[in-house]
Amino acid sequence: MSEKPRVSLAVVKRLPKYYRYLGLIADKGIIRVSSQELSKITGLTASQIRQDLNHFGGFGQQGYGYNVEELKSEIEKIIGIDKSYKAIIVGMGNIGQAIYKYRGFNEDSGFKIVGLFDKDKNTIGRTMSGIKVNDIKNINKFLQKENVHIAVLAVPADSAQEVCDTLVEGNVKGIWNFAPIDLKLPKDVVLENVHLDESLFTLTYYMNNLKDYPGTKN
């Protein structure tokens, strides 16, 4: 039996976009939507949308389109946000605090912040929305007690790999990295980098080379 083809990164990156727009459509009370209608909303072609969704099975019916709630629910399962995740934030500087305030981190969304860590003496012991900031020296003991799934890494580059190694030892399987460094991880730990400077430089490149911008229509 042949293996199922690997889903490309480009397709994976588009799934949250579909999920977000389906949520907006559902909030308007719309029951069904065609790939052509999704195309107008998302800016992607109807053919691209059908190809992307076909990677995961047939969700629509010819002449009917997609049931909005059913498709939203299926994408929720594909992305994995039908499950619950415990998360911690390591580094409670400006970025760490901004992430902590992010509305996506709440029990209703399936993500729950269970711990905050820092090494700054002026930050340790502070209570932020009911959670006390712990000394990063205590992170090993914390990880032994709590089954933490995701760690948000918002520490300086020079300490990121060391902290990352500690997280891996603590059986954390997903790291959302905001540190400006490429980390080395075992294959069973998933890493998602958010390098703000790279994103900013991509913006300025497209501003100066508009012909290359994917949103530009010829």
Side-chain angles (χ1 to χ4, degrees):
M1 188 174 179
S2 60
E3 284 189 18
K4 187 177 179 181
R6 177 180 291 185
V7 178
S8 72
L9 176 61
V11 174
V12 174
K13 291 284 189 181
R14 285 193 288 268
L15 290 175
K17 185 172 186 176
Y18 296 144
Y19 181 77
R20 175 164 56 89
Y21 278 111
L22 286 166
L24 294 173
I25 293 169
D27 288 343
K28 293 179 180 179
I30 298 172
I31 297 173
R32 65 188 177 101
V33 64
S34 68
S35 56
Q36 286 79 14
E37 289 167 331
L38 276 177
S39 173
K40 294 176 183 177
I41 298 168
T42 63
L44 300 166
T45 67
S47 175
Q48 182 69 75
I49 293 168
R50 290 193 295 269
Q51 287 178 35
D52 288 351
L53 296 178
N54 283 341
H55 281 287
F56 308 97
F59 302 117
Q61 294 179 339
Q62 192 170 4
Y64 177 86
Y66 303 100
N67 181 289
V68 173
E69 286 293 349
E70 287 181 5
L71 182 56
K72 181 172 175 285
S73 178
E74 288 297 330
I75 293 178
E76 195 171 76
K77 293 174 186 175
I78 293 166
I79 296 173
I81 52 175
D82 58 326
K83 304 173 184 177
S84 296
Y85 301 92
K86 289 183 179 180
I88 61 172
I89 300 176
V90 186
M92 292 307 296
N94 292 334
I95 292 177
Q97 290 184 45
I99 295 167
Y100 184 42
K101 294 174 183 176
Y102 167 55
R103 62 183 177 82
F105 279 125
N106 59 67
E107 292 189 61
D108 291 338
S109 68
F111 299 93
K112 182 181 180 183
I113 298 292
V114 296
L116 306 173
F117 295 88
D118 205 284
K119 67 177 182 179
D120 182 8
K121 293 179 180 178
N122 295 321
T123 303
I124 296 167
R126 288 177 55 191
T127 299
M128 298 183 180
S129 301
I131 299 181
K132 185 180 287 188
V133 179
N134 286 302
D135 191 329
I136 197 169
K137 292 179 181 177
N138 300 323
I139 197 168
N140 277 317
K141 292 181 180 178
F142 185 89
L143 293 175
Q144 288 172 10
K145 292 179 181 179
E146 290 279 353
N147 181 26
V148 175
H149 305 99
I150 297 171
V152 179
L153 199 58
V155 299
D158 58 2
S159 60
Q161 186 62 58
E162 183 182 354
V163 174
C164 182
D165 293 342
T166 301
L167 296 170
V168 171
E169 290 173 9
N171 207 35
V172 174
K173 294 300 182 184
I175 296 177
W176 200 18
N177 177 40
F178 285 80
I181 187 174
D182 294 323
L183 300 170
K184 296 178 181 178
L185 291 167
K187 291 182 179 180
D188 64 338
V189 178
V190 177
L191 174 69
E192 179 68 16
N193 288 310
V194 184
H195 293 332
L196 299 180
D197 55 350
E198 291 181 11
S199 181
L200 180 60
F201 298 160
T202 301
L203 174 69
T204 56
Y205 172 83
Y206 281 129
M207 287 174 66
N208 290 282
N209 298 274
L210 195 58
K211 62 179 176 53
D212 297 334
Y213 181 50
T216 302
K217 295 182 179 180
N218 297 322

